[in-house]
Amino acid sequence: MKIFFASDIHGSSYYCKKMIEAYHREGAGRLFLLGDILYHGPRNDLPKEYAPKQVIAMLNPMKQEISAVRGNCDTEVDQMVLEFPILADYALLEQDGIRLYATHGHVFHEKNLLPMMAGDVLVHGHTHIYEAKRVKDQWILNPGSVSIPKGGNPPTYAVLECGVFQVKTLEGDVLLEQKLSGDR
């Protein structure tokens, strides 16, 4: 099954719509949101077409397809309006023999890893910069940001299928591709 990873929508109805279009175009079996879904946060400018209520209306009908973790801008108030769980600090997934820890990145990140084993993968957002890098015997992956990218990057998402992690623009252009090993 193809997993679609997206992070940091920050309440942008414009970019949420583009993300959902990309998700459907990819034919992924699961949309995994890595936090910061509705609120833009005090350190960020308002994203294009900031309209959290519209984002709620777009995501709730997809609740069976969505898994999510809590970002630093997500709160219990957000959970009251979203019909899928968003308040877990991380989730553990297994995909094609690869163990993945999905989190937002403000608590668990490269300098504060979860109790991971050799060959495990940490997937997080938070920095708004996409990447795939090996740290010792583990992978650190980031799909970037859907609505407020940083580092001169365009808005991005990522897919994982058959052990290959790809970061793409919202139009589907591949910016980064990394084969992950399932070996432990």
Side-chain angles (χ1 to χ4, degrees):
M1 172 179 71
K2 183 187 284 190
I3 300 175
F4 186 105
F5 290 101
S7 191
D8 300 283
I9 299 168
H10 287 291
S12 171
S13 62
Y14 176 85
Y15 286 111
C16 185
K17 181 180 180 206
K18 289 195 158 293
M19 176 199 70
I20 291 169
E21 289 169 356
Y23 169 73
H24 290 302
R25 185 177 62 245
E26 288 285 351
R30 174 67 62 198
L31 170 56
F32 207 107
L33 299 177
L34 297 171
D36 287 359
I37 299 168
L38 299 178
Y39 180 53
H40 63 88
R43 295 180 299 172
N44 296 312
D45 291 331
L46 284 174
K48 184 174 186 173
E49 295 181 24
Y50 179 68
K53 289 180 182 177
Q54 290 178 24
V55 172
I56 294 163
M58 285 185 258
L59 294 177
N60 278 343
M62 300 175 63
K63 63 187 173 190
Q64 276 82 13
E65 300 171 64
I66 297 175
S67 294
V69 292
R70 179 181 65 88
N72 57 301
C73 293
D74 299 321
T75 68
E76 289 81 5
V77 172
D78 300 311
Q79 184 62 84
M80 292 170 66
V81 295
L82 291 169
E83 297 174 2
F84 51 91
I86 67 162
L87 295 177
D89 284 330
Y90 71 93
L92 179 60
L93 315 163
E94 182 109 5
Q95 174 78 355
D96 300 319
I98 301 168
R99 188 175 22 245
L100 298 116
Y101 290 86
T103 190
H104 180 62
H106 66 295
V107 175
F108 301 109
H109 45 77
E110 181 179 341
K111 293 185 168 102
N112 185 35
L113 292 171
L114 288 150
M116 297 166 51
M117 297 172 58
D120 287 352
V121 176
L122 181 70
V123 183
H124 71 85
H126 185 58
T127 65
H128 298 224
I129 298 172
Y130 70 85
E131 72 175 342
K133 69 179 178 180
R134 190 112 172 132
V135 176
K136 298 182 183 177
D137 54 1
Q138 298 155 337
W139 283 101
I140 310 291
L141 309 175
N142 190 320
S145 172
V146 170
S147 72
I148 309 174
K150 295 184 180 173
N153 293 314
T156 54
Y157 66 90
V159 291
L160 177 64
E161 184 177 35
C162 299
V164 177
F165 180 79
Q166 292 182 319
V167 174
K168 298 182 178 185
T169 65
L170 291 174
E171 293 73 34
D173 298 323
V174 177
L175 300 175
L176 181 151
E177 181 172 292
Q178 182 62 59
K179 173 127 178 66
L180 308 175
S181 171
D183 300 334
R184 298 234 181 269

